[in-house]
């Protein structure tokens, strides 16, 4: 049953993607399956967003200003706290547990996390339009540990703010994110490898390592 589900999900995501991708570091331009053309570009500052996730001790962290109001302190990381004054690799997938994301995209960043961080990267984070419980289970299943932060963009707030939302309502998958990988320095996008729909051609860990000068 699981294999059948993965096969169906993979087919849906492939059909949502266009047949070509943008060159390395450029924004791919296609409106098929998209609610609008992507707005994010190299040189842009990341939008302020609240992510939810489970920390390494298995506790949920509500990351953002809500915690400051509720507890008097800022719990871990807002988008700005994650990136300000730091070098961060941020990548997104169309969905947790989907085939390409589970077999290639996330595992690649787990396997090459140490090499990426050796290039001066402070953190690697995976973003998906899923809830924190799903992201936590997915991360544990692939043994992300402390190598990759599993950030839940449950309401697609961050995804929509970037302009990379992918409308798959007609496939029964709702609003998802286009697949991408970016290098962010001090909250500014320095490298952006944005895929067409759910394609996987230019957003791998290997491509990021190449851009970092391996």
């Amino acid at each position: 049953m699981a294999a059948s589900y993965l096969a169906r999900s993979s087919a849906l995501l492939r059909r949502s993607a266009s047949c070509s991708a943008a060159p390395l570091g450029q924004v791919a331009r296609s409106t098929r399956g998209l609610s609008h053309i992507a707005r994010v570009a190299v040189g842009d500052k990341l939008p302020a967003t609240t992510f939810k996730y489970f920390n390494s001790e298995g506790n949920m962290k509500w990351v953002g200003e809500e915690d400051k109001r509720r507890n008097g302190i800022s719990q871990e990381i807002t988008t700005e706290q994650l990136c300000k004054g730091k070098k961060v690799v941020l990548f997104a997938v169309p969905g947790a547990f989907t085939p390409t994301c589970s077999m290639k995209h996330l595992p690649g960043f787990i396997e090459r996390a140490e090499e990426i961080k050796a290039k001066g990267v402070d953190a690697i984070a995976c973003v998906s339009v899923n809830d924190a419980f799903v992201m936590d289970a997915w991360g544990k299943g692939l043994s992300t540990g402390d190598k990759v932060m599993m950030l839940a963009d449950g309401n697609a707030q961050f995804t929509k703010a970037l302009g990379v939302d992918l409308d798959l309502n007609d496939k029964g998958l709702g609003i998802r994110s286009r697949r991408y990988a970016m290098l962010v320095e001090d909250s500014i996008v320095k490298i952006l490898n944005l895929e067409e729909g759910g394609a996987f051609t230019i957003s791998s860990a290997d491509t990021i390592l190449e851009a970092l000068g391996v």
Side-chain angles (χ1 to χ4, degrees):
M1 182 178 294
S4 177
Y5 169 77
L6 291 176
R8 290 196 302 272
S9 298
S10 180
L12 287 173
L13 288 173
R14 284 197 302 271
R15 285 198 294 271
S16 73
S18 297
C19 61
S20 61
L24 178 66
Q26 295 183 16
V27 176
R29 298 185 181 278
S30 172
T31 57
R32 183 177 180 181
L34 308 179
S35 59
H36 44 66
I37 296 176
R39 291 193 299 264
V40 66
V42 171
D44 288 350
K45 181 177 180 179
L46 288 185
T49 308
T50 298
F51 291 112
K52 300 175 180 65
Y53 78 108
F54 282 86
N55 65 10
S56 58
E57 286 76 42
N59 300 313
M60 178 180 275
K61 295 292 185 181
W62 299 79
V63 185
E65 291 299 314
E66 177 183 349
D67 285 296
K68 186 179 291 186
R69 295 192 297 270
R70 186 172 57 209
N71 301 326
I73 59 174
S74 180
Q75 291 283 340
E76 304 280 26
I77 302 168
T78 61
T79 308
E80 183 178 12
Q81 290 169 332
L82 174 65
C83 301
K84 187 173 183 179
K86 300 175 184 177
K87 184 182 291 187
V88 177
V89 168
L90 194 66
F91 69 99
V93 298
F97 291 105
T98 54
T100 301
C101 307
S102 295
M103 294 186 288
K104 296 180 180 179
H105 204 178
L106 177 55
F109 279 97
I110 296 170
E111 292 167 7
R112 310 209 69 175
E114 292 184 7
E115 295 173 75
I116 291 172
K117 291 179 180 178
K119 294 296 179 180
V121 172
D122 297 290
I124 304 170
C126 175
V127 177
S128 183
V129 183
N130 290 105
D131 65 69
F133 297 95
V134 169
M135 292 296 283
D136 181 53
W138 189 36
K140 286 179 178 176
L142 292 175
S143 302
T144 54
D146 293 327
K147 294 180 178 179
V148 178
M149 298 178 66
M150 304 298 288
L151 303 182
D153 186 24
N155 295 323
Q157 179 183 4
F158 181 68
T159 298
K160 290 179 179 179
L162 289 179
V164 296
D165 42 313
L166 182 64
D167 187 349
L168 296 180
N169 277 295
D170 61 332
K171 307 293 191 301
L173 298 174
I175 300 298
R176 298 298 179 107
S177 173
R178 291 173 68 179
R179 192 186 305 280
Y180 62 79
M182 63 172 71
L183 176 67
V184 179
E185 293 184 23
D186 196 22
S187 300
I188 304 299
V189 178
K190 295 296 185 179
I191 296 172
L192 174 62
N193 297 329
L194 180 61
E195 304 276 12
E196 295 282 0
F200 182 57
T201 57
I202 58 172
S203 59
S204 68
D206 289 343
T207 303
I208 286 293
L209 269 171
E210 181 182 348
L212 289 170
V214 172

